[in-house]
Amino acid sequence: KSFVFCGLPRPLFVSPNVFFPLRQSGLSDSSGVAQLGRIKRPRLHSNSGPPAPPSCRVCPYLRSERSFYGDFWSERTAALFREAVVCPEGLIPFSAAPLGARLPLALPPCSRPLPGSQRESSELFTLTYGALVTQLCKDYENDEDVNKQLDKMGYNIGVRLIEDFLARSNVGRCHDFRETADVIAKVAFKMYLGITPSITNWSPAGDEFSLILENNPLVDFVELPDNHSSLIYSNLLCGVLRGALEMVQMAVDVKFVQDTLKGDGVTEIRMRFIKRIEDNLPAGEE
Amino acid sequence: MPHFELSAFLMTVHNLYLFDRDGVCLHYSEWHRKKQAGIPKEEEYKLMYGMLFSIRSFVSKMSPVDMKDGFLAFQTSRYKLHYYETPTGVKVVMNTDLGVGPIRDVLHHIYSGLYVELVVKNPLCPLGQTVQSELFRSRLDAYIRSLPFFSARAG
């Protein structure tokens, strides 16, 4: 992917709080009124002129552009940059920052270098996962134990992954299981594995559904040998989903019902809602 | 030429609490706090958390309209308490001066850019207990000090 450089001139920034103390300082208010010192620009259309810069959440180079565009940041221009576009300084690529969000004016500078291309890091990921499963098979003699370990590891990943997911995607609380299913398939899977499974087979009560994965990046070069026929190779995913949802108050049961490694046409993950986990009062409170 | 009393416009951040979903105080820092609570720190954290828990359920129960974000802030004649909560139950609480407007983005950045990046993503940092990471503490301090409404001279 090539660098995209926005050639638009920079806006002049005059901090309002120093010279106009009666005005509320800090971030622009939600009514979108232009602050004193900010130059008004015409609405930017995606089919005219250079595209708007990607809205990197932490890149100082782009921060001023983003907060400048603010209200004029259109859905379409943002959509153009949802793939791996990098900012000119080779800093963090576009992450799913919410449209129209006001970024804080003071942000620590980016220090992480960009990882290699998308393809290279996904191969490394697949190979790493394969090495992990192989090692587990050596450590535990039977497949059931390996499955349990994968689930446990996935759970530990999931409880942390959910925080990263919420931090990056800015998705709010889901109101029901259907919304949860949509967020998992369309946002979460896309963000972490680069695939978008489809949601099917809803149960009549609306508490069970299936995720159909056309291709599973974890199993890119994998064939299951005959002596591991009951191994659920991608069981880590089940643990991740279970752990992540438990942190947002949902107890779910996740399992594979079809697996391309076992000869099925697609990979199907069945998710079942068990119950809502209530907020705990801290110990000692009545 | 009118003479502005600059100290009247210097705003500041008093202190900051970070709680997790079980009420454990993950982090506390203060910058300008002129008056202490008069109780041990552990009790102060429990009091703060208990109050927030009660306010949250009160606000959602008594809301006359459909709730969107829930409890955001309260203010007294001297300070304002800002609140931000994630769906995972992580709560960021910041006490500032009255002049500070909505700072949801700032609190969100404390969560996403600091807590998630430096604590959650660090496998050596255990969750569910006070954050020991010195890096987190110093980055948080630097971030707060760089905020436009933080004035080192006030208070």
Side-chain angles (χ1 to χ4, degrees), chain A residues 202-222:
Chain A
W202 276 100
S203 68
D207 64 347
E208 271 190 62
F209 67 93
S210 289
L211 287 165
I212 311 281
L213 285 74
E214 304 289 317
N215 66 311
N216 180 357
L218 292 176
V219 306
D220 269 341
F221 317 116
V222 177

Side-chain angles (χ1 to χ4, degrees), chain A residues 8 43-52 77:
Chain A
L8 289 173
R43 180 172 288 274
L44 192 76
H45 296 292
S46 59
N47 53 3
S48 71
T77 48

